[in-house]
Amino acid sequence: MKILHETVQTIPRLPFKYYEHDPLTDINVAPHWHQGIELNYLVSGTTLKFVTDGQTNEYRPGDLWTTNRRVVHSASGPTEVDWVEFGIIIDDDFLQTQIPASANWQLTLNGAASSKTHPQAYADVRQQLVTIHDLLTTPTTDLLRLQILSHFYQLLVTLGQTFTVPLTATTVSPNLTLTDTVMTAINQHYAEPIDGNTLAEQFHVSLTTLNQ
């Protein structure tokens, strides 16, 4: 089960979904999650509040950030602002086929803080993402697809080399019943305020167990 509240475009034979904020709608996005890793770029607007598992980050124009797979997240900001934001959701099956170690990736790309720590890698990711965005404005041909893929592969390399840490080992056994129950609850109440702490309390588990 996947809960989607973003308009995403599946490009034939490309291993990611592309999304771009619709200027006719506000920036608010209800809590949802993806199977794959999401990469976001806020081009213009103002401060965007982005909540992941109950933790709020604020992003400003020029910021890039990633959302790890299967993490519940939402966004909010003023409705009267002209927002420009776009990004990609990486196909997880493709990623793990090409890079088996990525199954253990925890992405750390997080806006201005990452820009200060790794300025060149941060700039490289932004340039590759912007180039993909620009190439997608023209009809996709076989040659254009290869060109897009070349930038996409370089983006993955930079993410993997600079902006990942291994997932911490867990002693918690997978609890598929809990997972299904929680995701059903999110699906039924997605329009209501919800975060990781609330869900953990509702289902009588710790936030760490819920995340795992």
Side-chain angles (χ1 to χ4, degrees), residues 63-80:
D63 283 349
L64 291 163
W65 68 98
T66 48
T67 305
N68 284 291
R69 50 173 70 91
R70 295 183 294 279
V71 170
V72 177
H73 55 285
S74 62
S76 62
T79 57
E80 68 276 7

Side-chain angles (χ1 to χ4, degrees), residues 1-4 17 32-36 91 93 183 187:
M1 176 177 61
K2 299 179 185 177
I3 303 165
L4 301 176
K17 294 179 181 178
H32 64 289
W33 64 285
H34 307 292
Q35 183 69 26
D91 182 273
D93 290 337
M183 294 314 302
N187 188 37

Side-chain angles (χ1 to χ4, degrees), residues 127-173:
Q127 183 57 55
Q128 301 301 336
L129 184 61
V130 169
T131 301
I132 291 170
H133 163 271
D134 293 344
L135 290 171
L136 287 172
T137 61
T138 58
T140 305
T141 64
D142 286 340
L143 291 177
L144 184 64
R145 173 181 168 273
L146 291 178
Q147 192 175 359
I148 292 170
L149 281 173
S150 70
H151 293 284
F152 177 68
Y153 284 135
Q154 185 56 55
L155 186 153
L156 292 182
V157 169
T158 306
L159 287 177
Q161 289 179 336
T162 309
F163 297 110
T164 63
V165 295
L167 288 168
T168 56
T170 174
T171 58
V172 178
S173 299

Side-chain angles (χ1 to χ4, degrees), residues 96-116:
Q96 293 191 43
T97 298
Q98 299 297 316
I99 313 172
S102 67
N104 198 40
W105 277 7
Q106 184 81 359
L107 274 292
T108 61
L109 181 59
N110 190 30
S114 296
S115 177
K116 292 178 181 178

Side-chain angles (χ1 to χ4, degrees), residues 79-100:
T79 57
E80 68 276 7
V81 172
D82 291 329
W83 299 92
V84 177
E85 183 199 8
F86 62 85
I88 60 174
I89 303 167
I90 300 168
D91 182 273
D92 205 40
D93 290 337
F94 170 87
L95 181 61
Q96 293 191 43
T97 298
Q98 299 297 316
I99 313 172

Side-chain angles (χ1 to χ4, degrees), residues 189-203:
H189 302 286
Y190 65 85
E192 302 172 10
I194 190 171
D195 59 37
N197 290 315
T198 302
L199 289 169
E201 181 177 352
Q202 179 180 349
F203 293 101

